[in-house]
Amino acid sequence: MSDVKEVFFCNFEKALASMKSGRKVTRMDWNYGSKSSHTPFVSLCPGVGTLASDKFWNPHNRKFAESIGGARVSPYFSEVNCLGSVSMGWVPTAADILAEDWLILAD
């Protein structure tokens, strides 16, 4: 558990506050501590005021940004699962919101 900042379990409210301050969080229920080479985690991406069109990797978003001279990126959650795959736009389930097994990870 060397990547855990706080070793006690917390609720989603504390996990969210930690993400807002730039921390990564995980849940024990997400195979934390499994033999995988990746600890699954969620983080908050704060968004960007205006991002230049050439910074968008998605061609549809890039085309939209080109049409208006750049685009604002809204805040969103990003997830890295235990296989090391990144998902942008993670949405917590009711079980995640009600869970008391959140852990705050070290940087």
Side-chain angles (χ1 to χ4, degrees), residues 47-56 58 60-75:
V48 178
T50 300
L51 191 62
S53 60
D54 65 333
K55 301 295 183 191
F56 286 91
N58 179 296
H60 304 291
N61 295 343
R62 184 181 312 116
K63 184 175 180 178
F64 170 75
E66 287 170 352
S67 74
I68 62 170
R72 182 173 101 66
V73 178
S74 299

Side-chain angles (χ1 to χ4, degrees), residues 5-64:
K5 179 180 184 279
E6 300 178 25
V7 183
F8 62 90
F9 294 125
C10 64
N11 60 24
F12 185 72
E13 182 180 9
K14 181 155 176 78
L16 179 59
S18 296
M19 285 188 282
K20 285 181 175 182
S21 67
R23 300 283 184 198
K24 302 180 299 187
V25 298
T26 192
R27 289 192 53 208
M28 284 299 291
D29 193 47
W30 291 349
N31 296 320
Y32 176 78
S34 70
K35 297 194 186 311
S36 167
S37 60
H38 301 284
T39 297
F41 68 86
V42 174
S43 61
L44 177 64
C45 302
V48 178
T50 300
L51 191 62
S53 60
D54 65 333
K55 301 295 183 191
F56 286 91
W57 58 268
N58 179 296
H60 304 291
N61 295 343
R62 184 181 312 116
K63 184 175 180 178
F64 170 75

